[in-house]
Amino acid sequence: GENVEQHPSTLSVQEGDSAVIKCTYSDSASNYFPWYKQELGKRPQLIIDIRSNVGEKKDQRIAVTLNKTAKHFSLHITETQPEDSAVYFCAATSWGQNFVFGPGTRLSVLP
Amino acid sequence: GAVVSQHPSRVICKSGTSVKIECRSLDFQATTMFWYRQFPKQSLMLMATSNEGSKATYEQGVEKDKFLINHASLTLSTLTVTSAHPEDSSFYICSARLPAGTSGGSGDTQYFGPGTRLTVL
């Protein structure tokens, strides 16, 4: 089955700096890779996703890159703000089946 | 669009009782819903996949007789924790898959409910 690893487990950055979170997956059949943001005690919120036919996707300060050959994808947040502080989860799935989440990264943006 | 509700948000019960949690897709029909369990500071662990009109598919290690899932309509799935014990205390979150073609969805995006915090005394 699919296995998703995520690094780092915790990340602290100064406000205004960039943050990068990396995930690797094992199943080459996986073709959809979403990223979720979860604030304490709240639901995971989809922030960006990418499909296997695309190498990069950007939405304002957030971008995701995918390297299918190496089986890894990364979340990039630029100009970080305190409200970006949360736990971020990556996930991988093949056609919406067997969603597997990474262990999460706790991002702290220091003012 | 793509709003998922979950009820109750918080429940405290005595050991041995059963608890029902509801998950509803409010503005779309979801043939597939998912139930997750999340321990403090940990990731989401898929418990089962709920399919409308058929039996749920449980992940390995999840007791189907303890965690009863019913997906009776295209907008409602329920999870019943039977004979709850303190070790069942956790944060339970459902999600619904947005069908292909709905609000631009491609059939693989999941949207989460707000979660239910279960405490078994």
Side-chain angles (χ1 to χ4, degrees):
Chain A
E2 177 66 275
N3 180 50
V4 177
E5 295 184 356
Q6 184 172 346
H7 298 280
S9 57
T10 60
L11 178 61
S12 293
V13 299
Q14 290 292 330
E15 183 177 357
D17 287 351
S18 296
V20 181
I21 303 170
K22 298 181 180 179
C23 285
T24 60
Y25 61 100
S26 60
D27 189 352
S28 56
S30 291
N31 61 356
Y32 176 65
F33 309 92
W35 285 89
Y36 288 86
K37 174 184 179 182
Q38 186 179 28
E39 297 177 23
L40 188 63
K42 297 190 176 180
R43 78 183 81 194
Q45 297 268 18
L46 179 69
I47 56 171
I48 197 167
D49 56 15
I50 192 167
R51 291 184 170 80
S52 58
N53 59 346
V54 176
E56 183 174 358
K57 183 177 178 180
K58 189 173 181 180
D59 182 3
Q60 298 183 334
R61 297 186 296 109
I62 295 173
V64 56
T65 57
L66 171 66
N67 183 327
K68 283 195 302 181
T69 304
K71 295 206 212 53
H72 66 70
F73 56 111
S74 300
L75 177 71
H76 305 253
I77 305 174
T78 58
E79 301 172 30
T80 53
Q81 301 166 3
E83 50 266 38
D84 294 329
S85 296
V87 178
Y88 291 80
F89 294 100
C90 63
T93 177
S94 176
W95 302 106
Q97 303 293 330
N98 303 321
F99 251 68
V100 177
F101 285 85
T105 296
R106 184 170 300 277
L107 173 65
S108 299
V109 180
L110 308 173
Chain B
V3 178
V4 179
S5 71
Q6 196 170 332
H7 179 80
S9 59
R10 189 181 297 269
V11 58
I12 300 173
C13 68
K14 291 183 179 180
S15 186
T17 60
S18 294
V19 175
K20 180 186 281 189
I21 303 170
E22 294 185 349
C23 179
R24 293 180 186 271
S25 56
L26 298 185
D27 52 359
F28 65 99
Q29 294 182 330
T31 54
T32 305
M33 292 184 175
F34 302 88
W35 287 97
Y36 293 86
R37 186 171 179 177
Q38 187 175 35
F39 291 102
K41 297 187 178 182
Q42 292 191 24
S43 189
L44 298 134
M45 184 187 75
L46 179 65
M47 298 175 65
T49 301
S50 172
N51 299 296
E52 188 270 336
S54 64
K55 291 182 178 180
T57 304
Y58 290 82
E59 294 300 300
Q60 193 171 15
V62 178
E63 299 177 58
K64 60 181 180 181
D65 294 330
K66 180 166 184 65
F67 299 100
L68 300 178
I69 291 172
N70 185 286
H71 194 153
S73 78
L74 287 171
T75 59
L76 173 65
S77 174
T78 60
L79 168 68
T80 301
V81 184
T82 62
S83 187
H85 288 95
E87 56 265 31
D88 299 323
S89 298
S90 190
F91 193 51
Y92 292 87
I93 311 179
C94 71
S95 71
R97 192 161 69 193
L98 193 66
T102 303
S103 300
S106 61
D108 45 21
T109 305
Q110 289 189 28
Y111 292 89
F112 286 86
T116 297
R117 185 160 302 283
L118 170 63
T119 303
V120 185
L121 302 176

